[in-house]
Amino acid sequence: MDITQVLLAAQSPDANLRTVAEGNLTQFQEQNLPNFLLSLSIELSNDEKPPESRRLAGIILKNSLDAKDSAKKELLTQQWVSVDPSIKLKIKESLLVTLGSSVHDARHTSSQVIAKVASIEIPRREWQDLIAKLLENMTSPGASAPLKQATLEALGYVCEEISPQDLEQDQVNAVLTAVVQGMNQAELSPEVRLAAVKALYNALDFAESNFANEMERNYIMKVVCETAMSKEVEIRQAAFECLVAIASTYYSHLDPYMQTIFDLTANAVKGDEEPVALQAVEFWSAICDEEIALQDEYEGSEDGNSTVHFRFIEKALPLLVPMLLETLLKQEEDQDQDDNVWNISMSGGTCLGLISRTVGDAVVPLVMPFVEANITKPDWHCREAATFAFGSILEGPSVEKLAPLVQAGLDFLLNTMNDANSQVKDTTAWTLGRVFELLHSPAGANPIINNSNLPRIMSVLLESSKDAPNVAEKVCGAIYFLAQGYEDAESMSSVLTPYLPNIIAALLSAADRADSTHSRLRASAYEALNEIVRVSNIPETSGIIGQLLQEIMRRLNLTFDLHILSSGDKEKQSDLQALLCGVLQVIIQKLSSTDAKSIVSQTADQLMMLFLRVFACHNSTVHEEAMLAIGALAYATGPDFVKYMPNFFTYLEAGLQNYEEYQVCSISVGVVGDICRALEDKILPFCDRIMTVLLKDLSSSMLNRSVKPPIFSCFGDIALAIGENFEKYLPYAMPMLQGAAELLGTLDQSDDDMVDYGNQLRRGIFEAYSGILQGIKGPKAQLMIPYATHLLQFTEAVFKDRSRDDSVTKAAVAVLGDLADTLGQSSKDLFKTHLFHVEFLRECQAQQLDDEVRETAQWAQGMINQAVVS
C-alpha cells in the first residue's frame, strides 16, 4: 500500500475516494498495527512528502496513542506496550529526527507525539534516554533555531504529560537549565525563547526542590522577570503566565520578589497590550486565591502560624486597588451582549471581588470614593465602572460595614435600572442580584428589604424583566436571590404573597420572549420561578400554585407538537422539556409537603402521562428532570403510585442500565428509593428485576463509581419496603456489601477525592445494613447472624479511621443500634466480643458533634444495653 496516496485520498473532496481510503487505513491498522504506526512515523519524518499527508499521518499517530475516554486510552496504551520493541525503537528514532524538519507543522506534531509516547513509557521506566537526547539538541554546536524550538516544545509537552515523580532530580535540573537558557536574551530567535517560556510553564511542577534552593530560585525568578519585559508581546504574555503559575505553586517562596513583581504587573496593567495586562491582573487573583485558602485553613486551626501567610494583598492594597479601579473604565462597547467576553475590565472587577474576600472591610474605604465620584457622571463608562466596583466588593466585608452603604444606595440602584445605557442597566441588575444574594436576610439584624421599600423593589424588577434579554436575565437572577432570602424564614415569605401573581406572570412572559436568541434568559426565568414556588406560603398561595401547575402542564404538552427539522430544534425541545419538568418537580414537592396534597393527586394521571411522553422523546437531560419529577410524584401519591408502575417500569429499568450517562443511572437509583418509600410492599412484584439490574450495576467496570454508594443505600430502601421478603436477595446482596467493605482498605488515603468517595461508600454500606436489619426484624431475624461478625469488624475499622465524616459516624452508630434491636439477645455475645462500641458511643455522646449524631448514639446505647442485659 502506498501510504502517502491513501493519506491524501482520505482528505479528498470526493466522498467515495475518502470512504475507500478511510477503509484501507482502518484495515491496515487492524491487521498490522506495528507496521501501520511505523509507516505513519516514516511519513511524518520525510521532508519530501506532501505537507497534507504528513499532517494526517501525525494526527492518526497521536490518536493511536491517546484518547479522552479513559477505557479507550487504557486500550491504546496496552496496544502500544505490546508492539515489538525493535519497531517501537524505529518509531521513536523517526520522531526525534522529525524535530529537525524544515516544516513547522511536522516539527510541532512530532513534539506532541513524542510526549504521548513518553506518557506511556516513562512511568514504566522505559525510554530513559529521551530527556538526554532532547537536551543534546539544545547543546550541540550546530543545532538550528527550528530544532531547538521543537525540542523545547517537546520538553514542555513531556512535562505536561508525566508526573514529577517520573523524573530523577538530575533530569529535572538538566531540563530546567536548558529551558532557562533557552529563555535568555542572548538566544536570537524569538520562536525559541517563546517555546522555552512555555516549556518552563509546564515544568514548574517539577521544580519543587529547585525553588527550595535560594540560589536556583533567585536565578529562575530573575530570568522570568526579565522575560516579562521582552519586546515580543507573546513572550511577555507567556512570562506572566509563568508568574501566575508560580504564585499558585510556590506562594511561600515569593516574598523577596514581590516588589519587582508589583512594578512589572503595574506597568503591564497601565500600558501593555491586553493579553499581557490580563495575565498581570491574573497574578493578583492567584495570590488572592492562595491567601483565601490560607485563611480558611487558619480559621479552623489553633495555631495561626502553622502556615506561611505573607498578607501580600493587605500590604499592596493602597496601590493595588486604585490600579484595578482604573481597569474598570476600559469596557468594550456591547460587552454585555456576549456572555463569553473576557477583557481587562471584567478581569479587574473579578480581581477586586477576590481582594474584598481576602481583606474584608479594609477594601471598602478604598473603593467607595471611586463609586461616589463616578456614579453620576455623564459618561456611561464611569457610571458602569462605579456600579461594577460596588457590586464587586459585596462579598468579604462584614454586613455591619456594608448594610448602611446598601441601605443608602438601594434607591439609587433602583433608579439606575432606567439608565439610558444598556450596559449600565445590565451591571446594575447584576449588582442588585448580589445585594439580595449576600446581604438580604429577613430574620437578620440589618434587613435590607422592609415593608416600605419592597413595593418599589418589586415594581422596578417586574418592569425591568421586560428589558433587553441580557438585562432581563440578570433581573430574573435578582428575583431568584430575593426569594431565596426567605428560605430560612419561610413564615416571613407572606410579604411576597400579594406580588405572587404578577411575579409569576412576569417570569413566564420572560421565559417566552421571542427576542431571546440566547437560552440563558429562559433558564433564569424558570429557575427564579422555582425559587418563588419553594418559598411561597402555601396556606395563602395554594390556589395560585395550583393554577401555575396547570399552566406548566399545558406548556409541556405543547412541546410535543414542536416542528423538529434539525438537531438544533431537537436540542431546544429537550432543553425546554427539562426546564418544565424541573418546575413541575418543585411544584409537586411544595404541594405534597402541605395540606394541599389533593391538588397533586387530582392531576397525577395527567402528570404521569406527560412524563411518559417525555421519556418517549429519549434525551438524557430530559430523562434526569422527568425522573426526578416522578420521584416527587411517587412521594406525593404514596401507595396509589402502583398503578403507574407497569407503564413506567420499562423506562426506570432503562435508566438503571444507562452506564453512558451515569447521572441518569444515579438519579434512577434515587427514584427506586422514592418509590420504595411510597409503595412499601406493593413494590414486591418489580423487585426481582430491580435487584438483578442493581447487582449487575455493582459488578460493572463500565459504570462510574459515584453511582455505587447510592445503590447500596437503595438495597436498604428495598429491604425496608418489602421486609422479610428480602430474604431471597441476601445471598447476592451480602457478598457485594462485604466486597465493598474490603475494597475500602485499598483506597488511596492521600487523595482527597478518594477520601470523599470512601466516605460515600461507607455511608452507603451502613445504610444498606440498617435497612436490611430493620426490614428483616421479626421471625426471620436469625438470618442476619452469619453476617453480624463481618459487620462489626467493618464498623470497628471505620471507628478507627479518622478520615470519616459526621454522616458516616451517624450511619455507623445507627447500624450498631439496628443490629442490637433486630437480633436482641442473640447479639449479646457479639457485643461482648467486639468491645470497641463502648468507646465509640462514649466518644459520640461526649463530643461536640452535631445533635443528630449524639441522639443516634444515645438511642444505639439504649438498644445495646437492652440486648446485653436481656
Side-chain angles (χ1 to χ4, degrees):
M1 182 194 289
D2 180 348
I3 188 90
T4 308
Q5 291 310 314
V6 178
L7 288 164
L8 291 172
Q11 304 172 72
S12 162
D14 179 337
N16 293 333
L17 274 178
R18 265 204 323 276
T19 308
V20 172
E22 285 164 3
N24 286 337
L25 287 169
T26 306
Q27 190 179 1
F28 187 4
Q29 185 172 15
E30 286 169 356
Q31 289 177 357
N32 191 343
L33 180 69
N35 279 327
F36 176 69
L37 298 175
L38 182 59
S39 306
L40 293 172
S41 70
I42 293 169
E43 186 76 18
L44 178 62
S45 68
N46 188 340
D47 271 357
E48 291 178 4
K49 296 290 186 181
E52 295 77 15
S53 67
R54 295 175 75 186
R55 187 182 302 121
L56 185 56
I59 291 169
I60 297 172
L61 198 48
K62 196 170 74 176
N63 293 341
S64 304
L65 295 162
D66 191 23
K68 284 196 172 78
D69 177 66
S70 56
K72 174 90 188 290
K73 184 180 174 122
E74 184 52 38
L75 177 70
L76 295 175
T77 299
Q78 291 311 323
Q79 284 179 350
W80 172 260
V81 170
S82 57
V83 170
D84 180 303
S86 63
I87 292 183
K88 282 196 284 199
L89 187 63
K90 285 180 189 164
I91 293 172
K92 291 187 291 195
E93 282 171 354
S94 179
L95 290 168
L96 287 167
V97 167
T98 314
L99 292 177
S101 166
S102 57
V103 178
H104 173 268
D105 271 1
R107 296 195 304 273
H108 173 66
T109 305
S110 178
S111 63
Q112 290 179 310
V113 178
I114 285 170
K116 296 299 179 192
V117 176
S119 74
I120 298 172
E121 296 208 341
I122 288 181
R124 291 181 147 74
R125 296 283 172 253
E126 294 165 4
W127 210 3
Q128 290 297 286
D129 61 348
L130 168 64
I131 300 292
K133 285 196 164 162
L134 290 172
L135 294 173
E136 269 170 40
N137 290 348
M138 297 305 296
T139 50
S140 64
S144 65
L147 173 63
K148 288 185 173 183
Q149 184 249 345
T151 300
L152 286 163
E153 202 172 27
L155 281 167
Y157 288 140
V158 168
C159 289
E160 195 176 13
E161 289 285 344
I162 63 176
S163 304
Q165 64 265 25
D166 293 331
L167 291 187
E168 301 299 331
Q169 188 56 45
D170 57 348
Q171 290 178 304
V172 173
N173 296 345
V175 170
L176 288 171
T177 303
V179 166
V180 173
Q181 281 173 354
M183 288 166 67
N184 255 344
Q185 301 296 330
E187 182 70 60
L188 293 174
S189 153
E191 291 77 18
V192 175
R193 294 204 338 269
L194 180 60
V197 188
K198 288 183 170 175
L200 177 65
Y201 178 86
N202 285 330
L204 280 169
D205 280 345
F206 293 74
E208 195 172 335
S209 66
N210 309 84
F211 264 82
N213 174 323
E214 188 183 353
M215 207 165 81
E216 292 182 34
R217 179 174 72 239
N218 285 343
Y219 183 59
I220 294 172
M221 292 302 292
K222 175 176 173 288
V223 174
V224 174
C225 290
E226 283 169 1
T227 311
M229 296 185 288
S230 298
K231 60 178 190 294
E232 299 82 1
V233 174
E234 262 195 282
I235 295 179
R236 292 200 300 279
Q237 180 187 348
F240 273 109
E241 283 170 8
C242 283
L243 285 172
V244 174
I246 290 168
S248 301
T249 316
Y250 300 114
Y251 171 90
S252 61
H253 294 304
L254 276 179
D255 195 31
Y257 316 106
M258 285 305 280
Q259 186 55 55
T260 306
I261 296 174
F262 181 84
D263 296 341
L264 281 172
T265 54
N267 290 333
V269 171
K270 283 193 185 77
D272 210 328
E273 304 283 328
E274 186 166 81
V276 184
L278 281 170
Q279 290 305 319
V281 173
E282 190 61 34
F283 172 82
W284 291 103
S285 292
I287 294 286
C288 287
D289 287 334
E290 290 306 305
E291 297 198 340
I292 290 167
L294 284 169
Q295 284 161 8
D296 290 348
E297 206 177 303
Y298 161 60
E299 205 174 28
S301 75
E302 329 284 276
D303 174 17
N305 306 319
S306 57
T307 35
V308 184
H309 185 190
F310 289 111
R311 306 191 185 281
F312 291 136
I313 297 296
E314 201 177 290
K315 291 172 190 165
L317 210 56
L319 297 170
L320 192 54
V321 170
M323 170 177 101
L324 291 169
L325 291 170
E326 283 307 305
T327 66
L328 302 187
L329 293 160
K330 297 179 182 174
Q331 311 94 322
E332 291 167 20
E333 301 289 332
D334 297 334
Q335 70 180 33
D336 57 329
Q337 299 299 323
D338 181 0
D339 291 331
N340 301 317
V341 106
W342 186 248
N343 55 33
I344 194 70
S345 74
M346 304 286 285
S347 171
T350 303
C351 187
L352 194 58
L354 287 167
I355 287 174
S356 71
R357 285 176 54 201
T358 310
V359 300
D361 289 0
V363 80
V364 177
L366 293 168
V367 172
M368 285 315 290
F370 175 86
V371 175
E372 286 153 8
N374 286 284
I375 196 90
T376 54
K377 282 191 177 166
D379 179 353
W380 73 263
H381 293 85
C382 299
R383 299 198 303 280
E384 196 275 340
T387 314
F388 191 17
F390 186 59
S392 297
I393 61 164
L394 293 173
E395 185 177 6
S398 61
V399 177
E400 293 71 30
K401 187 84 173 169
L402 291 172
L405 298 173
V406 170
Q407 281 153 349
L410 187 59
D411 204 46
F412 191 89
L413 287 171
L414 293 169
N415 288 335
T416 312
M417 286 306 296
N418 290 319
D419 197 281
N421 179 277
S422 175
Q423 230 164 295
V424 175
K425 287 191 284 190
D426 184 281
T427 304
T428 305
W430 171 79
T431 301
L432 283 169
R434 300 257 299 168
V435 166
F436 298 149
E437 178 187 6
L438 299 163
L439 299 166
H440 155 50
S441 167
N446 297 299
I448 298 295
I449 297 175
N450 52 47
N451 291 340
S452 57
N453 64 16
L454 184 60
R456 169 114 173 85
I457 291 170
M458 276 302 170
S459 116
V460 169
L461 292 177
L462 294 178
E463 190 52 42
S464 300
S465 70
K466 303 172 195 161
D467 210 311
N470 55 297
V471 176
E473 186 219 318
K474 309 278 191 317
V475 170
C476 290
I479 293 172
Y480 172 92
F481 288 119
L482 185 140
Q484 196 183 48
Y486 294 98
E487 265 189 14
D488 299 329
E490 212 172 290
S491 57
M492 300 173 82
S493 72
S494 291
V495 297
L496 298 179
T497 304
Y499 305 98
L500 204 59
N502 289 345
I503 297 174
I504 290 173
L507 291 171
L508 288 174
S509 93
D512 280 346
R513 289 269 285 275
D515 62 350
S516 172
T517 43
H518 63 352
S519 57
R520 293 267 296 269
L521 171 59
R522 176 182 274 169
S524 289
Y526 281 124
E527 278 163 22
L529 188 60
N530 289 342
E531 198 53 33
I532 287 287
V533 171
R534 275 191 205 103
V535 302
S536 65
N537 190 325
I538 281 298
E540 302 170 352
T541 60
S542 57
I544 303 169
I545 304 294
Q547 285 172 323
L548 177 62
L549 175 63
Q550 293 298 329
E551 172 58 21
I552 301 294
M553 285 163 66
R554 184 186 74 79
R555 288 172 173 236
L556 184 53
N557 201 28
L558 290 174
T559 64
F560 304 119
D561 303 329
L562 292 172
H563 291 294
I564 308 295
L565 302 172
S566 67
S567 60
D569 292 344
K570 180 77 187 152
E571 197 179 338
K572 276 184 184 162
Q573 180 196 42
S574 298
D575 290 347
L576 181 53
Q577 288 175 341
L579 289 167
L580 293 166
C581 287
V583 181
L584 289 173
Q585 181 205 349
V586 173
I587 294 175
I588 294 166
Q589 280 174 332
K590 185 70 185 178
L591 292 173
S592 58
S593 62
T594 62
D595 298 339
K597 226 178 194 172
S598 58
I599 299 176
V600 179
S601 43
Q602 285 157 15
T603 49
D605 289 0
Q606 292 161 275
L607 281 164
M608 199 62 198
M609 195 174 71
L610 286 170
F611 296 144
L612 293 175
R613 285 189 72 184
V614 167
F615 280 134
C617 290
H618 294 302
N619 183 290
S620 67
T621 47
V622 184
H623 259 194
E624 286 178 47
E625 302 297 339
M627 210 38 109
L628 287 165
I630 285 177
L633 189 63
Y635 173 82
T637 52
D640 293 343
F641 189 81
V642 74
K643 65 180 175 184
Y644 306 123
M645 283 299 284
N647 289 331
F648 168 54
F649 191 73
T650 319
Y651 297 112
L652 179 62
E653 201 169 28
L656 292 171
Q657 290 168 312
N658 191 339
Y659 296 170
E660 292 289 303
E661 293 145 344
Y662 68 89
Q663 292 93 338
V664 176
C665 184
S666 184
I667 286 168
S668 304
V669 171
V671 169
V672 171
D674 294 334
I675 293 171
C676 286
R677 286 183 282 280
L679 297 188
E680 296 181 338
D681 60 356
K682 287 186 180 173
I683 197 169
L684 196 53
F686 304 95
C687 281
D688 281 2
R689 281 164 72 188
I690 292 174
M691 283 300 291
T692 304
V693 177
L694 292 179
L695 290 162
K696 207 160 116 196
D697 284 353
L698 287 173
S699 311
S700 162
S701 59
M702 299 291 289
L703 182 60
N704 186 292
R705 66 172 194 224
S706 66
V707 186
K708 297 188 176 181
I711 290 176
F712 286 127
S713 306
C714 192
F715 283 176
D717 295 329
I718 293 169
L720 274 171
I722 63 174
E724 59 186 37
N725 292 303
F726 196 80
E727 176 187 353
K728 66 193 278 195
Y729 305 121
L730 286 176
Y732 308 100
M734 301 315 276
M736 284 289 188
L737 287 167
Q738 291 172 349
E742 276 149 32
L743 169 79
L744 279 161
T746 65
L747 295 182
D748 177 3
Q749 290 298 311
S750 64
D751 179 343
D752 288 349
D753 288 345
M754 274 302 177
V755 170
D756 284 349
Y757 176 64
N759 278 325
Q760 289 164 22
L761 198 51
R762 289 185 181 100
R763 193 171 69 239
I765 293 169
F766 284 133
E767 285 173 354
Y769 273 117
S770 276
I772 294 169
L773 283 163
Q774 290 173 42
I776 285 198
K777 184 182 170 186
K780 294 192 176 174
Q782 304 305 309
L783 290 169
M784 290 306 288
I785 290 177
Y787 308 109
T789 302
H790 184 277
L791 172 56
L792 285 167
Q793 286 166 347
F794 171 57
T795 311
E796 182 167 10
V798 171
F799 159 58
K800 288 176 177 164
D801 184 342
R802 291 294 150 195
S803 66
R804 63 183 151 88
D805 61 21
D806 278 2
S807 70
V808 172
T809 304
K810 182 180 165 226
V813 167
V815 114
L816 291 173
D818 288 325
L819 188 65
D821 184 29
T822 297
L823 295 185
Q825 62 188 31
S826 307
S827 63
K828 185 180 196 169
D829 293 342
L830 287 164
F831 282 112
K832 284 184 172 168
T833 322
H834 299 85
L835 283 170
F836 75 92
H837 68 87
V838 178
E839 193 186 337
F840 190 11
L841 293 174
R842 187 186 304 125
E843 184 187 295
C844 291
Q845 291 177 74
Q847 260 183 6
Q848 301 312 305
L849 288 172
D850 73 356
D851 293 345
E852 283 190 18
V853 175
R854 233 186 356 264
E855 285 164 19
T856 309
Q858 284 162 355
W859 169 80
Q861 188 67 68
M863 287 296 147
I864 293 171
N865 290 347
Q866 272 179 24
V868 172
V869 170
S870 62

